[in-house]
């Protein structure tokens, strides 16, 4: 009788331990994915900052979509003085990750 109780308790502990191991495994995968995405966003932020610092003439030369490493940089000019800069991963081209709009004075309009 005692042997059966020990076997039942061991089985219960094994099943509970297996559940904990699965939970820890899922959490570690989730953490690794989050760290990878954080690194990608940091790269995109640096790339966006570099484009924001460009002059009006440099932005005009880069109108359209260009490939920069694993990213797509889209530059549009919705008005004469505004430039929209959008970054997305080439692996997921249908969704913008970071977007900003910058103002550049139109010197020709003076």
């Amino acid at each position: 009788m005692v042997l059966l109780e020990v076997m039942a308790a061991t089985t219960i502990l094994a099943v509970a331990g297996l559940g904990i191991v699965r939970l820890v495994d899922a959490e570690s995968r989730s953490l690794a994915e989050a760290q990878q995405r954080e690194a990608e966003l940091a790269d995109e932020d640096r790339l966006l900052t570099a484009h924001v610092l460009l002059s009006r003439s440099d932005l005009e030369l880069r109108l359209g979509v260009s490939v920069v490493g694993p990213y797509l940089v889209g530059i549009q000019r919705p008005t004469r003085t505004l430039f929209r800069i959008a970054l997305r991963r080439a692996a997921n081209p249908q969704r913008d990750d970071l977007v900003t709009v910058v103002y550049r004075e139109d010197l020709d309009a003076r």
Side-chain angles (χ1 to χ4, degrees):
M1 189 68 154
V2 172
L3 184 59
L4 285 176
E5 287 177 6
V6 168
M7 287 176 58
T10 304
T11 303
I12 291 171
L13 286 174
V15 169
L18 198 59
I20 291 172
V21 167
R22 286 184 182 161
L23 181 64
V24 169
D25 181 52
E27 286 298 317
S28 66
R29 271 186 274 139
S30 177
L31 178 63
E33 290 172 6
Q35 288 172 335
Q36 177 186 1
R37 186 66 184 127
E38 183 180 12
E40 288 174 352
L41 283 172
D43 287 344
E44 289 177 349
D45 181 55
R46 285 189 291 274
L47 186 58
L48 184 66
T49 300
H51 280 79
V52 165
L53 296 174
L54 293 175
S55 68
R56 178 184 178 84
S57 60
D58 287 336
L59 286 170
E60 286 175 343
L61 289 173
R62 289 174 173 80
L63 286 175
V65 178
S66 59
V67 178
V68 179
Y71 304 107
L72 299 175
V73 179
I75 300 178
Q76 301 170 333
R77 188 174 56 193
T79 68
R80 290 186 59 80
T81 57
L82 296 178
F83 290 86
R84 180 184 186 272
I85 305 169
L87 276 93
R88 59 184 78 158
R89 287 179 288 158
N92 188 11
Q94 60 272 17
R95 187 183 65 126
D96 292 335
D97 288 336
L98 296 176
V99 177
T100 192
V101 176
V102 296
Y103 170 82
R104 295 294 182 264
E105 187 176 1
D106 186 5
L107 300 175
D108 295 335
R110 288 184 181 182

